[in-house]
Amino acid sequence: MTRPGLGANDEHNAEPLSELAEAMLASAPPASIPVPLNAVFSPVVRALARRRNKGAIADALRRNRVSVRNTDHEGSDVTELISRDHPRTEDDDYLVYVHGGAFVVGEPVDSISIGLTASTGLTCFSLHYGLAPGTRFPSSLHQIEKAWDAVTSGRSGRPVLVATSAGANLALGVLQQLLLRDDAAAPLPAAVVLFSPAADLHEFDSARLVNEGLDPVVKWHGMLDKALPAYLDGHDPDDPRASPIMGDFTGLTVPTLLVTAGRDLLRPDVLSLARRLEHQGVPIEVDDAAGLWHAYQQVPTPETAASLERVRRFVSTHLSA
């Protein structure tokens, strides 16, 4: 397992953060869900999140020459992001993206999907899925698996699976399902990139809470302790489809990059996932950036540009192999 970048244990060796990253740490809004996640308040939570992210997404689209269109693939809603600087055809390689948002918020078009479309030049198919509590486990997973099949079916280019946080949980679940199939019609990806994957949906314990209060974006108390039960709806988190860290990925030979950061609340889980996947024979790299937070690539900073460039090189290397 290779580990480009620095982690929380290497902070004393890290370069100083940029002014923009420092400003984010100083000014980030409280990471909390202030109301119950039920049929009445969930739309309010999503509307507030959408309003908070609207400016960042609009800014990302202004800074990157990316076009966006909504499409239907065999009954699955998919948003296509297309680089205007790199015209593509049906035969070209492409990205398949699953957004994050703790299973309760999030949009198919976010700063990561826009940034990766621009940096790689690959068309990105961002998959839609229902959000909790309206859509619960395992329905969201089934939606993503169906959309993966619809997008990849009959396409000669190779897919790269990219996902963030809760979306990475769903992506790992789909990978498990693909490994169980005898059907070669639905291909495995050529490479996998997971930003701050939520691989373990068990209740957090002290060993996993070392970054509680340090991560400005996500926390357990008052946020994930509401969001994860809303998604699981009483389902056993030991189910490896719910907590992919419990899963068996033996036979997965796809190069996989796990991206985390020193302040990322999920960093202990990401590193545990990396060790488990490596033990099962999956070729793993970990990008562990010092001083930064959960899915920090959503914010336009020099550190984000550097991270997306590392991802671009990873993707380019394995598509060229």
Side-chain angles (χ1 to χ4, degrees):
M1 177 174 63
T2 58
R3 289 181 60 182
L6 299 170
N9 295 330
D10 307 301
E11 296 281 330
H12 60 284
N13 294 321
E15 293 291 327
L17 296 184
S18 67
E19 290 184 5
L20 290 173
E22 292 283 9
M24 168 63 186
L25 287 171
S27 64
S32 63
I33 298 174
V35 294
L37 283 170
N38 55 32
V40 174
F41 289 112
S42 293
V44 176
V45 171
R46 283 194 280 275
L48 290 172
R50 191 176 297 117
R51 180 185 301 172
R52 185 173 63 247
N53 296 328
K54 183 177 180 180
I57 293 170
D59 180 63
L61 288 171
R62 280 193 297 268
R63 288 183 290 102
N64 298 281
R65 290 174 49 79
V66 172
S67 299
V68 176
R69 67 180 184 183
N70 292 322
T71 60
D72 179 280
H73 287 255
E74 300 178 14
S76 293
D77 291 330
V78 177
T79 296
E80 296 182 18
L81 295 88
I82 304 164
S83 169
R84 297 200 294 272
D85 293 327
H86 300 86
R88 293 284 169 171
T89 71
E90 292 271 327
D91 298 327
D92 288 315
D93 301 330
Y94 55 97
L95 307 175
V96 178
Y97 182 68
V98 191
H99 71 82
F103 303 103
V104 297
V105 297
E107 302 287 339
V109 178
D110 61 17
S111 297
I112 291 178
S113 58
I114 295 167
L116 286 179
T117 300
S119 66
T120 64
L122 302 176
T123 295
C124 176
F125 296 90
S126 188
L127 311 183
H128 295 225
Y129 60 93
L131 301 174
T135 305
R136 304 177 186 266
F137 176 85
S139 295
S140 300
L141 175 59
H142 294 160
Q143 290 173 356
I144 293 299
E145 185 178 3
K146 177 185 175 185
W148 171 267
D149 289 346
V151 166
T152 60
S153 176
R155 196 176 294 274
S156 57
R158 293 165 297 172
V160 175
L161 180 58
V162 185
T164 299
S165 194
N169 174 289
L170 298 171
L172 286 163
V174 168
L175 285 173
Q176 291 180 85
Q177 297 303 109
L178 294 176
L179 286 171
L180 293 173
R181 291 188 189 178
D182 295 324
D183 178 13
L188 287 166
V192 175
V193 179
L194 304 177
F195 294 91
S196 299
D200 188 347
L201 301 194
H202 292 86
E203 183 173 340
F204 279 63
D205 58 26
S206 58
R208 296 170 62 206
L209 284 174
V210 293
N211 282 334
E212 179 83 334
L214 299 177
D215 191 323
V217 171
V218 63
K219 64 180 182 178
W220 171 251
H221 296 290
M223 187 181 185
L224 294 185
D225 59 351
K226 293 182 179 180
L228 298 190
Y231 171 66
L232 288 172
D233 191 30
H235 199 93
D236 186 356
D238 280 346
D239 187 327
R241 297 173 303 162
S243 293
I245 201 166
M246 309 292 291
D248 184 359
F249 293 87
T250 302
L252 182 67
T253 58
V254 176
T256 299
L257 175 63
L258 305 182
V259 184
T260 186
R263 292 174 178 262
D264 184 1
L265 178 72
L266 302 188
R267 182 177 184 266
D269 295 349
V270 176
L271 298 184
S272 294
L273 175 67
R275 289 189 291 269
R276 183 174 179 87
L277 292 178
E278 183 181 40
H279 180 72
Q280 294 175 355
V282 181
I284 284 289
E285 293 184 26
V286 177
D287 188 342
D288 190 6
L292 301 168
W293 54 88
H294 181 80
Y296 66 90
Q297 297 83 1
Q298 299 281 14
V299 180
T301 66
E303 290 86 354
T304 287
S307 174
L308 295 183
E309 173 57 20
R310 292 193 294 271
V311 172
R312 185 201 66 77
R313 291 198 302 265
F314 175 85
V315 170
S316 177
T317 295
H318 293 292
L319 287 179
S320 300

